[in-house]
Amino acid sequence: MLDSTNTKTTKLLTLADYIESLPANAIAMDMYMSGCGTKGCIAGWAVYREYGIVPTRGVADIAEKLLEMTLDESGKLFFDYPYHVTQAKVVSVLRKFALTNVIDWS
């Protein structure tokens, strides 16, 4: 059962809903770059949703704190994904992570 008092769970589910509502192809997680300053990835959209801007550096660090994740969790969510992941898969992974605390890209 969903713990509505868990802000991490709520933040992840809210982000999943937000990403799901974006236009097709809004998620661009087929690039591996550092400090890209775009809102194409999970971290970028999390920061953009909260602040309306995406800084040119430190996006993953900001999103990690914003979503109340550990360094290990943010590494798995923001960097250890399969090449060219779909928007639907991102939403699925976020929801599973929110409800089970498991990040599973398979």
Side-chain angles (χ1 to χ4, degrees), residues 34-38 53-59 62:
S34 175
C36 66
T38 70
I53 61 167
V54 180
T56 57
R57 294 185 180 255
V59 175
I62 296 167

Side-chain angles (χ1 to χ4, degrees), residues 62-92:
I62 296 167
E64 175 187 308
K65 289 173 183 56
L66 180 66
L67 298 172
E68 302 177 19
M69 298 188 315
T70 66
L71 181 61
D72 184 57
E73 290 170 339
S74 68
K76 288 177 183 174
L77 188 64
F78 301 149
F79 302 108
D80 292 342
Y81 53 85
Y83 186 75
H84 196 68
V85 66
T86 66
Q87 195 162 325
K89 184 64 173 180
V90 168
V91 170
S92 172

